[in-house]
Amino acid sequence: MLCAALALAGASAFAPAALAGEWIADASAGCRVWNPHPRSGETIQWSGACANGYAQGRGVAKWLRNGVAYETDEGEWREGRQVGHGTQVWSTGSYDGELVESEPDGRGKLTLQGVRYEGSFRAGKPNGAGTLTNGSEVYEGSWTNGCFRDERRKASFLVPLSACR
């Protein structure tokens, strides 16, 4: 069996968080945005409307770590959480598609470190019909919680290969 470990869990945007999600407020406006993967030293700059202290409507969230920008999210926010169609861009790649609770959920395209997955997501991981392309390697079919398996190959994306059974 050919095994391909395409786990990119080290990518900043989708790395497992040491903490559960938490709210983070823009220091100048006080508007809060949901952070599903908080890390030490993070701040945010919110450009958009604020309702009852939470990001609301169309806007842009610029994420900084120790004062250095590392992610820009654009789209729709509801009660501080990114929802509907939106984009998330990092130095290592981008996501364009449907979001729920500020994470990929629904149809979308995610590119990280030159690896591209296009298809269905649930709770931030490939789940359902999708195609992953890594150079000349193509994994097309059904994904479950970031794991792919067919008769002869196994692969993972956004989770360690060891998490795939």
Side-chain angles (χ1 to χ4, degrees):
M1 176 182 288
L2 172 65
C3 292
L6 301 174
L8 294 176
S12 65
F14 291 94
L19 306 169
E22 64 184 31
W23 295 101
I24 186 169
D26 177 296
S28 63
C31 200
R32 289 177 283 182
V33 176
W34 180 248
N35 184 348
H37 304 285
R39 300 261 181 142
S40 156
E42 283 182 323
T43 56
I44 191 165
Q45 294 174 347
W46 168 249
S47 300
C50 196
N52 299 318
Y54 295 93
Q56 186 72 22
R58 292 214 50 86
V60 176
K62 184 176 183 180
W63 297 88
L64 301 100
R65 189 172 299 123
N66 300 319
V68 178
Y70 72 92
E71 179 176 347
T72 301
D73 301 343
E74 187 169 348
E76 187 75 22
W77 270 260
R78 189 174 307 124
E79 297 175 347
R81 299 172 193 258
Q82 194 176 13
V83 297
H85 186 269
T87 61
Q88 298 178 338
V89 179
W90 318 272
S91 63
T92 57
S94 65
Y95 175 76
D96 182 7
E98 296 301 311
L99 295 137
V100 173
E101 301 285 323
S102 301
E103 298 218 79
D105 201 301
R107 298 278 310 158
K109 180 169 70 171
L110 174 65
T111 304
L112 282 175
Q113 300 174 352
V115 178
R116 187 182 77 229
Y117 172 84
E118 188 165 357
S120 295
F121 287 83
R122 185 175 62 209
K125 298 177 191 149
N127 204 77
T131 303
L132 183 134
T133 306
N134 182 19
S136 62
E137 298 271 353
V138 176
Y139 301 86
E140 183 174 7
S142 183
W143 290 75
T144 304
N145 296 321
C147 301
F148 172 86
R149 176 174 279 197
D150 65 15
E151 305 80 43
R152 57 188 175 81
R153 302 178 303 165
K154 183 166 91 168
S156 67
F157 191 51
L158 306 176
V159 298
L161 189 58
S162 62
C164 303
R165 300 179 196 253

